Each structure stands twice: as C-alpha cells, then as structure tokens.
Amino acid sequence: MNNSPCARTTLSVSLLALAFAMSLQTPAFAQSEVAAQEAGDAVDTKEVEHPWGIENIDLPADDAIRYGILPNGMRYALRKNETPEKAASIRMLVHVGSMAEAENERGFAHFVEHMAFNGSTNIPEGEMVALLEKQGLSFGLNTNATTSFTETIYKLDVPDANEEAMNLALMVMRETASNLTIGEEAVDRERGVIKSERQLRNTAGLRSAKVQLSLELPQSPISQRLPIGLSEVVQTAPASRLRSFYQRYYRPENTTLVVVGDVDLDTIEANINSGFGDWKGVGEAGPPIDYGTIDPEQALAIGTFADPAIPTRVILSRSKPFEAIPNSVEANLEPLLMSLASKVMGNRFNKIVLSPGTSIIGAVELQTPIENIARQQLLVTVGKEGDWQGALATAEQELRRALEHGFTQGEVEEQLVNLTAEFKNAADQQGTRRSQALAEALIRSSVNESIIIAPDSRLAILEVLRPALTAENVTAAFRKNWAAGPNSVFVTAAAPIENAQNTIREVLTASQQVAVKAPVDLETKPFAYTEFGAEGKVATDSTIEDLGIRTITFENGVRLNLKTTDFEAGKISFSVKVGQGLRAILEGVGGLAYYMENVFAVGGLGEHSIEELQKLVAGKDVSLSLNAGQDAFTASGSTPTADAEFQFQLLTALITDPGYRPEADAIWQNALPTINTQNTATPMAVFQSNFRRLLAGGDVRIGRGSAEELAAVNMTSVRNLISDQLNHGAIDIAIVGEIDQQAAIDIVAKTFGALPAREPGKVDIDEIKPLPFPPEEKLFTLTHNGQADQGVVLAVWPTDDDADHKDDVSREMLAASMGILLTDVVREELGATYSTQAFSRSSSLYPDDGFLAAFSIADPAKAEEIYAATRAIAKQMRDEPISKDVFARAREPFLEQLEEQDRSNAVWTGVAVNAQRRPDRLDRWRARKELAEAVTIEDIQAAAQNYLSDDALIELRIVPAQSVEGE
C-alpha cells in the first residue's frame, strides 16, 4: 500500500482504493516522450533520419542519445548520464513473450528467462550471479529480468561502472543473447523454482485478471497466455524444446541493447560491435506472433469473479486494437486531452469518496495499452465490501455524466495547471534524471517505435499545444474514446453473485434510468496559512564541516539542518520530526500508525478541507502527510525548490492546526473490511501485518494493529494521542538538495521558526518502556486465507540493539552471507522456493532489540526441508569460516550500497534530521564504510557463533487457514 495518504500535487484521497485497483501514471506523449514544433522557433526540429529507421514527422530527438544497428540487425542505444555518478544501467530487450508460445510451450518464454542465470557457453552453471555479485551487483536489486506477453527484458544496474565491471556486464548480456546451454539437469532443478514462483503469484488478483482479459478481449489468446504458463508444461517440457524456442526467438534482429550511465560511449560502442557483431541466429526464426482480433464494436459483455480475498470492484472498459502513436505533434494532442480528462475524472471521484453515504472507497479512469496488443479505456471503482451494486451505479453514472455534460473549463484549467507543473518540474530536473529511468525509456521507444526527447522540449511543446487544451476539446476526445460507452462490465466480489449476468444487467439498467446533472465549479477561499507570527530569529548557527551539514537553532528551540547537494536538480528532500513518537505512548496506540499512514491527511487542516486543499495546491508538487514513527511523528518527502515555501507552510499548518475532520473516519470505516480482507489474503500480507509485533511480544506500539484496534481508531482518539506531542514536542527539520541555504533559513524562520517556544525533547533512552523481546515461545504459526500451496517459512535468531556498531555491521554482513547461501541451497539446489533472503535488524531506541531472520516464501509442504537447510547453513557458518567466494559475493554489493547512500538526497535527509536531535548517530554514519570494509571472514564466523545457536532459534510458519482447520 502507498505510504502517503496524499498523492503528489492533487492530494488525492483515493489511496485506499487505488491500492487495490491500479496506479495512474504521469501522462506522457506517445507512451514515452514526444514533442511539438511551432511554426516559428518554439522547438528546434532537426531533419535527421533516425538510425533505427523510426519515422519522425516533426519531433526533436534527444541528440545526446547515440543509436545504432549492427549488420546482423541488433539495435543498440547509448547515452552518457552521470546520475548516479560512476554507475550504469544496461537493458536488453528480446521481442518475445508468452504470446509467442504454442499450446505445448505455455511458460517457455518465462522458463528461458530463468535459464539465463543457469549456465552458458562461457559461464559455468551457477557462476553468472556469483560473478556479478563480486562486482557489487546484488541479485534481485541490481540483477533482474522480466517476461511479459510480448517481451523479455534483462536488467543490470552496475553501481561501479569500471572497465572490468562493464566488460563483464556486456559479456553476460552476450551470453544470455545466444549462448545459454539450457542443460537437462539445470532445467530439472529450475522447475522447482518456477513452481514456487507460480505458487507465490497465484493470487486472487492474478486469477481475476485472467478472467477479466478473457471477457474484454475474447478473440485474443492473451488470457490463455499468462507468462507464468501451465504447470503441466513447465514441469514436463524437455530441455531440447526449450532450446528450440530460445533459438527461434533469441536472434539479433529481435533484440535491442541499451547502455546509459557514467561511461565512455566510444568504448562501449566498440565493445558492442566486437561482442555482438558476430551473433547470428540459429535455425529458422519464429513466425510472427498472432495477437488475435480486437473488436472495438464488441457488444456489451458482462463477467464476474468471486473470491474471499478479492476486493469489491467494478471495471468498465472499452477496447480497441493497438496502434502506435505517430511521432508528430498533431497525433499527440489526443493523449494530452485524455490525460486531462482522466485527471478531472479522478478529482470528481475524490469528491464522491468524501461524500456521506458513498458506495465507493476510490476510483480511477485512464487510457492504457496492453503492451502492443490492445489499447483500453478503463474506469475502475472500488466499492465498500459487498456493495458492488453501488460501485457499478457510481461508475455508470459518472461516466454518463461526463459523456452527456462534458467537463467544465474550471475543471480543465485546474488540471492543466497541474500538468504544466509536472512538465516544468521535469524540465528543471532533467540534468539529473537517473540512468535507470532513461534506460527504460529507451527500451520502450524501441518497442513503440517512438522518439525520445528532452523534458525541456516537452515543456515547450505543451505551451505550443496549450490553446487546444480546452474543455470543449477534452470533452470531445473523451466522448470519442468512450464512444457509445463500455463494451464490457467486470465485477469482482468476495462471494458469487447469484444469476450474475441478469443481476448485473438489471443493476446497470436501473442505474441508466437515473438522471445525471451537469457538474458545477466550486469557489475556493484563499490559502489561510501564510503567516505564523513574528519571523523566528537564529540563536545558533554552525557547520559540521566533514559532513557538510549546517546546523541552526532558532530562538524558539526549532532545529534546522541543511545540506546542499546537486544530486537532483531543482529539487529538495525534507523531513520534519516532532515529539517522541510511539515509544512515548504506552496505551491505546494500537492501529494509530496504520491509520495515520493511510487517512490522517484526509482530515485536512483547521481552515481547509482536503477538497479545498486539492484546489489550492494546483500547480504545486507538494505533499501533506504525517506518519507515526517509534522516535517521532514525521512528515517527509520531496518537492521542487520553487515550491519549498508553500510546502513548509503546509507542513507547519499540519503540525499546528490539523483538521481532524470526521471525513477521514468515514473513509476508514468504509475501507476497513477490504483492508482486513487484504491483510489476511496472502502469506506476505500476514507477515507484514503481524511479524514485527509478534517478535515484540504483542507490544501495541509495534505493527499495524489487530482488526479490533483498527476498527477502534478514529480522529478523536488520534487527537487525544498525538496533540500534546504536536503542540509541545521538539521539532527537528532537515532540508537537503539544490537550494540556497539562506533561502531555506528564511522559509523556516517564517514557518516553524515563528511558532511558540518548543521543549528540548531530549529523551533518556533508559526511561523508555522496553519491548518484551525476545518472546518466550520458540514456535509460532499464523494463518492466511490464500491458496493451500502458499506459505512463509521464517527462522529468527534474537541478536542485540545497535549500541555496538562493529557488531551491528558484522551482523549485517552475516545476514548478507546467509542470504547468498540460502539462495544457493534452498532456491538453486533444492528448488524449494522462488524468493529467499536473510536480513538483520537492530534498534537504536529499544535496549536489546535486534534479530536476524532467514525468510522464504514457499509451499508449506516444503517447510521442514527449508528449516533443515537453514539450520544446516547456520551450523556451517558457526563451525567453519565462509568461503572467500561467498564473502566477496556478500561484501561487494554491501559496500556498493553504502557508496550509493552518499549520492542520495533521501538518505542524507535521514542523517541530517538527527544531527542535533541525536548527534551520536553522526559518528555511526562516518564510521559505517570503514567498519564494513574491516569486517573479516573471522568476524562473520564469530557473529554466527554468538547468535545463530539452535537453542535461540524461533520458528514462524505462515500457513493456509484451511490446513489448520482440517487438522
């Protein structure tokens, strides 16, 4: 679930629904980045033939990108980029996915992707991941791959793009492209991993999606070609048939390679030419993929899906065949108009969510492609649990309202201001776009035959097109794309709907008889929080030279910590900590943190409802959220430098005058049945909801809270629990990023610095009520309501708090080493899990609170096998030193992650906010790399001997509820 109760810019309150529906991405031209040309000099368009042969009518391509095609037909694209410094992102696209599979090959595209990590001509089986780990690439984090309906993408993010690492990364991609061995034994071992992945992904949501696709696209084989495939095919297919599939589709003319990063392009291009130039396809190429027929005039189809774990949801859709958007200004006007329409519809639904007696907890309308198969117009409403009828009526009537009455100029102008701000912020920040995002955009441009341009050109083009972005044109585009309305209605519910086809049609017909009125624009009063008193005066001002953190204390006790960076152009990260947090609240706190995380900001401010705030923040990229942490109540996020003053006015108002409006309680109670269902729907949901509190002996300050606690929390109880800390608690602020420090001081002086005096707020850790950790029990069993073959296997060893920094770092390295051994043994050798890891956690707040956990998502039938392997690994780590190979594989990614922290505004914000609050933490920051580099194999063995004893081991199983009921 999204951690912020308010989405960026629009302060959306539909979080609870969208968490169960789908996310609405920032609108884009031509599915990536497009431009326009004004007759004159608005945009400089160069008449240059695209090296990939993509037709470009009048869009100015980004000339920083170097494109090429090898004689064998393989495309490549290169771009120099220094964010992050010294790093590079590599992507390799193969145009093949599950839609290419024959009936007896269902699952082959995904299976081949797995085999990329299981041996090739020049890399022995089991060595590929190890080689990358030794270069600092963490498996899963920096090394990954995905398979979809139409494409397979391999991803390497190289944290230190030195010559050796880049040569290895390109060699790995070359091996993947044509040299996979796909041996019989390796295939047999991987079957278990894929089986485990199937079990993990076999959720109610996936099963629902399959039924939905068959309803919406009945003449396409897409619903019968989910990438995970068929179990009977995957478990029995011989390696020879997998190799045949691989050779048919892994061919140079079917492949695009992208490299973006802090590298020398001439060197990379030469390596690509020498490394991939001799690649030739083997045998006959695979035939063109049949996507079936997409009928835009399909008669209305009605379908349902029922499962106790599924939220109540209604999806109206209209589908048409996919057509790439031409690379022209004219062709890209419509996507802009539809983006504005979606934003207006979202705003309308937010108001409905807040209205008394509403049937929905959220909704979204959007246009989206299903890869290159179809393009869909979707309207998704998520209803209160069991009220699919109300959700359907709301969806039908709001769609009809828009089609009959259109959109007002006021609605469109408000969203155009937001859209303009998004484009302007992207242009301001274009110099520090991250390599990963640029690499992904280049891959998409190869798929969609689209032109990449720079964000500043995008902004210029938006200004050119602005005269056409009227309410009349937005309405016309919306009507065109929805035509005569939806051609499918899909309803999901916890229980089957009796006589579903007729029942749903009757509800739909009844709704269609309800007259809908035209929308009315509402007036909004001016923002009320621009003055907080006399501007605060600085009492102390000094700099921590080695860290570049400037520490300022105002006369009222508010402490400000500043650090200027150039990591993100035109942007700052911020954090505001108030009071002592959950640790200082001993009773009635259960469910508080989860409630605040989700709906606290829906209460608005004393002078403004959330609906008013949505209009007031138009054109500003700001956030409004307050989370309950163990050490403080915290508001954090990022904002453009230009919006910093307004952001801090909002935050000061939120701390000093939160609205505590009951609208939040209504939304919360409407959503709770769905939340409770989701919190028990899968093993991972149960783990996230219960694990930490279970280890803490049930302490109510920890975890999400029980269903009873969540039902009891409301704005009145929240006010009673937090108001004293908000009104009197110490305030610590960090601002990190591209901002003039005096400007930042002035902003805080006029906001938080102008408040009445604050208490020092220094907490003696000895006075904090300790956690009852570790628990006395050694065996726990929790249940979930998902599939019978899904479970979580946890082995937990109590450790210590983080007071001994060297020991704490040694435990981190111990966990990293154990994670590698678990992957090698439990995943690769036994095939017992798709996902396994080990992690160490230690508290800086609660004495003695720390643990190391080995975690596997697996079939409960595999639990004893996994526990046996985990105990054996723990014993091995106690009895003998880990190998130099395992040590390097654990150490290098760990050190690279520490290096990456130095280049992150968000990480520095977390450091800076404690600079005066807990100055002892700065020494830990300074020492972390040196201590990590100094950890030895012997230190890891000593930590294993100290903590990984069989007597201390706590076992936690999360198993299906039906298996317990059947015992």
Side-chain angles (χ1 to χ4, degrees):
M1 179 173 287
N2 190 329
N3 286 328
S4 170
C6 296
R8 308 293 289 177
T9 303
T10 58
L11 295 177
S12 168
V13 298
S14 59
L15 146 81
L16 289 167
L18 299 190
F20 311 126
M22 58 189 65
S23 61
L24 179 60
Q25 296 180 342
T26 300
F29 295 111
Q31 305 157 346
S32 56
E33 299 183 44
V34 303
Q37 178 185 24
E38 189 176 31
D41 59 358
V43 178
D44 179 20
T45 303
K46 298 178 181 179
E47 296 295 332
V48 178
E49 183 178 352
H50 195 288
W52 286 354
I54 296 174
E55 182 181 6
N56 182 12
I57 298 171
D58 57 3
L59 303 183
D62 184 352
D63 58 11
I65 301 168
R66 184 184 299 184
Y67 296 92
I69 300 181
L70 298 179
N72 59 16
M74 190 188 88
R75 289 178 172 183
Y76 65 87
L78 314 175
R79 193 186 194 282
K80 176 78 172 179
N81 192 62
E82 297 179 355
T83 304
E85 291 181 351
K86 302 179 182 179
S89 291
I90 305 173
R91 301 290 184 269
M92 186 171 72
L93 162 74
V94 183
H95 283 277
V96 63
S98 56
M99 291 288 281
E101 299 164 351
E103 187 66 21
N104 64 353
E105 295 175 333
R106 288 173 63 180
F108 272 27
H110 176 245
F111 205 140
V112 168
E113 174 224 304
H114 272 247
M115 297 311 297
F117 302 97
N118 282 279
S120 65
T121 302
N122 297 299
I123 303 177
E125 184 186 344
E127 290 298 315
M128 183 178 289
V129 171
L131 287 170
L132 293 168
E133 286 171 335
K134 291 172 189 176
Q135 289 293 333
L137 283 75
S138 177
F139 183 59
L141 179 65
N142 307 114
T143 306
N144 217 326
T146 59
T147 303
S148 69
F149 293 113
T150 62
E151 60 199 43
T152 303
I153 301 175
Y154 296 91
K155 306 177 182 183
L156 296 177
D157 290 313
V158 184
D160 183 2
N162 57 62
E163 182 179 0
E164 181 182 0
M166 291 303 294
N167 287 343
L168 173 63
L170 290 174
M171 189 267 279
V172 164
M173 289 300 194
R174 178 65 176 88
E175 291 294 290
T176 301
S178 67
N179 293 336
L180 299 185
T181 50
I182 311 183
E184 290 284 0
E185 293 183 2
V187 166
D188 287 341
R189 279 193 298 272
E190 199 65 22
R191 297 187 206 276
V193 176
I194 295 176
K195 180 180 179 180
S196 180
E197 182 180 0
R198 168 188 294 281
Q199 292 165 340
L200 171 65
R201 302 196 187 286
N202 184 22
T203 63
L206 181 66
R207 297 192 299 277
S208 173
K210 182 177 179 180
V211 177
Q212 180 187 342
L213 286 171
S214 66
L215 176 78
E216 295 169 348
L217 308 173
Q219 299 178 59
S220 170
I222 186 170
S223 67
Q224 301 303 312
R225 289 295 182 273
L226 297 185
I228 197 65
L230 289 179
S231 179
E232 55 267 32
V233 172
V234 171
Q235 294 303 312
T236 61
S240 59
R241 283 179 40 218
L242 281 170
R243 284 194 296 272
S244 174
F245 182 89
Y246 172 64
Q247 290 167 355
R248 293 202 306 273
Y249 292 102
Y250 279 62
R251 310 176 73 86
E253 68 275 17
N254 219 23
T255 302
T256 301
L257 183 68
V258 169
V259 181
V260 179
D262 194 0
V263 294
D264 180 76
L265 299 192
D266 291 338
T267 300
I268 297 299
E269 187 169 37
N271 287 348
I272 291 173
N273 275 277
S274 62
F276 290 83
D278 63 349
W279 176 19
K280 296 178 181 179
V282 177
E284 187 176 347
I289 300 171
D290 179 12
Y291 295 151
T293 301
I294 312 298
D295 181 8
E297 304 305 321
Q298 173 185 313
L300 181 67
I302 295 175
T304 65
F305 178 83
D307 191 287
I310 204 78
T312 299
R313 184 168 52 195
V314 173
I315 302 173
L316 308 183
S317 71
R318 188 163 194 89
S319 303
K320 61 183 179 181
F322 178 87
E323 292 182 1
I325 299 174
N327 293 304
S328 73
V329 176
E330 181 180 5
N332 282 283
L333 175 60
E334 186 172 293
L336 263 185
L337 295 170
M338 291 306 295
S339 291
L340 289 168
S342 293
K343 286 175 174 287
V344 173
M345 290 294 289
N347 211 27
R348 290 183 179 183
F349 281 119
N350 286 339
K351 295 174 184 177
I352 295 172
V353 169
L354 290 166
S355 63
T358 182
S359 294
I360 65 171
I361 58 177
V364 64
E365 191 280 340
L366 73 162
Q367 185 180 90
T368 183
I370 302 181
E371 297 188 33
N372 285 13
I373 302 168
R375 192 177 297 277
Q376 290 190 312
Q377 206 67 41
L378 296 173
L379 195 160
V380 183
T381 55
V382 181
K384 295 191 295 185
E385 189 164 284
D387 189 9
W388 65 264
Q389 300 94 330
L392 175 56
T394 300
E396 187 279 326
Q397 290 168 30
E398 287 309 307
L399 177 58
R400 183 157 45 89
R401 190 189 315 278
L403 292 172
E404 288 184 9
H405 300 291
F407 304 113
T408 70
Q409 192 61 36
E411 288 178 309
V412 171
E413 287 177 355
E414 178 182 340
Q415 298 309 323
L416 183 54
V417 169
N418 287 329
L419 187 64
T420 303
E422 291 173 11
F423 279 47
K424 183 180 184 302
N425 291 337
D428 290 343
Q429 297 158 18
Q430 73 178 37
T432 52
R433 287 173 292 171
R434 295 189 68 82
S435 294
Q436 294 96 323
L438 289 168
E440 296 288 350
L442 280 165
I443 286 294
R444 297 264 62 80
S445 74
S446 181
V447 172
N448 300 325
E449 299 286 298
S450 58
I451 299 296
I452 298 286
I453 70 163
D456 56 355
S457 294
R458 254 193 352 167
L459 178 61
I461 292 152
L462 178 64
E463 294 303 324
V464 171
L465 295 176
R466 183 180 294 275
L469 301 177
T470 63
E472 181 181 5
N473 287 344
V474 172
T475 299
F478 190 81
R479 287 171 174 162
K480 172 188 172 184
N481 280 278
W482 274 105
N487 50 24
S488 75
V489 176
F490 184 64
V491 178
T492 67
I497 300 170
E498 187 174 351
N499 193 15
Q501 289 276 335
N502 290 338
T503 302
I504 292 172
R505 195 176 294 274
E506 288 171 2
V507 172
L508 181 64
T509 301
S511 176
Q512 290 168 339
Q513 309 311 308
V514 177
V516 291
K517 297 180 180 179
V520 178
D521 287 332
L522 300 177
E523 294 295 323
T524 303
K525 59 185 179 182
F527 186 56
Y529 298 95
T530 57
E531 300 289 338
F532 296 92
E535 187 172 319
K537 297 186 181 302
V538 173
T540 66
D541 185 349
S542 60
T543 300
I544 304 170
E545 297 291 347
D546 64 319
L547 300 179
I549 297 174
R550 186 174 176 184
T551 59
I552 294 155
T553 303
F554 291 90
E555 289 183 348
N556 67 350
V558 169
R559 297 178 292 213
L560 170 64
N561 309 287
L562 300 171
K563 182 176 176 66
T564 302
T565 72
D566 58 2
F567 306 144
E568 298 180 82
K571 194 173 184 180
I572 63 167
S573 290
F574 62 84
S575 181
V576 179
K577 285 192 170 186
V578 185
Q580 301 169 6
L582 295 173
R583 61 182 174 172
I585 307 176
L586 302 183
E587 295 181 358
V589 71
L592 172 65
Y594 199 44
Y595 178 95
M596 291 185 66
E597 174 187 328
N598 283 286
V599 296
F600 180 73
V602 177
L605 303 175
E607 296 296 326
H608 297 295
S609 69
I610 191 69
E611 188 174 343
E612 291 173 336
L613 286 170
Q614 287 173 332
K615 295 180 72 67
L616 288 167
V617 303
K620 295 179 172 62
D621 186 4
V622 294
S623 61
L624 185 71
S625 65
L626 186 66
N627 292 323
Q630 292 298 318
D631 65 334
F633 292 94
T634 303
S636 59
S638 63
T639 191
T641 305
D643 292 338
E645 182 168 7
F646 187 83
Q647 176 69 79
F648 271 80
Q649 290 172 345
L650 268 179
L651 294 173
T652 308
L654 183 63
I655 300 302
T656 59
D657 191 24
Y660 296 115
R661 282 180 170 75
E663 291 100 307
D665 292 334
I667 291 174
W668 182 246
Q669 291 301 324
N670 287 342
L672 262 183
T674 301
I675 289 174
N676 290 330
T677 297
Q678 297 303 303
N679 282 348
T680 59
T682 66
M684 276 303 299
V686 172
F687 168 76
Q688 292 166 350
S689 300
N690 297 280
F691 169 66
R692 195 63 188 92
R693 180 181 282 193
L694 183 148
L695 284 188
D699 193 298
V700 295
R701 294 170 293 179
I702 307 297
R704 290 182 178 177
S706 66
E708 294 74 20
E709 289 168 338
L710 296 178
V713 67
N714 54 45
M715 276 295 180
T716 299
S717 62
V718 170
R719 183 201 295 263
N720 292 337
L721 289 168
I722 75 172
S723 60
D724 183 64
Q725 291 196 45
L726 297 190
N727 292 334
H728 304 292
I731 296 177
D732 288 85
I733 302 168
I735 300 176
V736 175
E738 191 178 77
I739 191 170
D740 175 82
Q741 293 197 358
Q742 188 56 52
I745 294 169
D746 293 343
I747 288 171
V748 175
K750 289 184 288 188
T751 54
F752 287 101
L755 300 179
R758 289 273 160 165
E759 298 174 358
K762 190 176 178 69
V763 179
D764 185 346
I765 199 166
D766 293 332
E767 295 178 0
I768 300 171
K769 177 185 175 183
L771 294 179
F773 177 85
E776 293 183 3
E777 293 184 51
K778 298 296 183 183
L779 179 62
F780 295 91
T781 300
L782 301 177
T783 62
H784 66 87
N785 295 322
Q787 296 299 293
D789 57 2
Q790 295 178 347
V792 164
V793 179
L794 268 163
V796 182
W797 290 269
T799 55
D800 204 347
D801 56 46
D802 73 352
D804 185 334
H805 193 189
K806 179 181 178 182
D807 188 60
D808 191 26
V809 173
S810 295
R811 297 196 303 265
E812 291 273 6
M813 290 288 287
L814 171 64
S817 303
M818 175 175 272
I820 286 170
L821 294 173
L822 284 168
T823 298
D824 289 350
V825 176
V826 179
R827 175 182 161 124
E828 300 302 333
E829 290 183 17
L830 301 178
T833 180
Y834 169 70
S835 178
T836 185
Q837 61 176 300
F839 55 92
S840 176
R841 299 289 182 269
S842 56
S843 175
S844 65
L845 300 174
Y846 296 108
D848 306 321
D849 179 31
F851 62 88
L852 188 150
F855 172 95
S856 297
I857 301 175
D859 188 331
K862 299 281 189 179
E864 292 308 321
E865 182 180 21
I866 294 172
Y867 276 125
T870 303
R871 292 190 200 98
I873 290 170
K875 183 178 186 303
Q876 175 186 334
M877 298 186 81
R878 293 193 307 263
D879 292 349
E880 57 188 65
I882 59 173
S883 69
K884 291 181 180 180
D885 180 74
V886 169
F887 180 63
R889 292 169 60 192
R891 181 178 188 270
E892 295 310 316
F894 186 74
L895 294 178
E896 288 296 344
Q897 289 167 26
L898 296 181
E899 288 292 336
E900 288 178 19
Q901 291 175 353
D902 282 340
R903 304 189 290 266
S904 167
N905 278 348
V907 173
W908 272 110
T909 301
V911 174
V913 77
N914 284 316
Q916 298 181 74
R917 184 184 183 92
R918 298 192 64 185
D920 60 298
R921 308 305 290 181
L922 298 181
D923 285 337
R924 293 181 64 89
W925 175 259
R926 293 183 179 101
R928 75 197 198 289
K929 290 183 187 176
E930 183 179 350
L931 284 175
E933 290 170 351
V935 170
T936 65
I937 291 175
E938 291 72 26
D939 291 330
I940 293 174
Q941 184 180 12
Q945 292 170 340
N946 194 24
Y947 296 111
L948 301 186
S949 71
D950 290 340
D951 292 340
L953 178 62
I954 300 168
E955 294 184 3
L956 168 61
R957 293 167 171 81
I958 302 177
V959 301
Q962 57 263 42
S963 68
V964 175
E965 293 168 0
E967 290 178 357

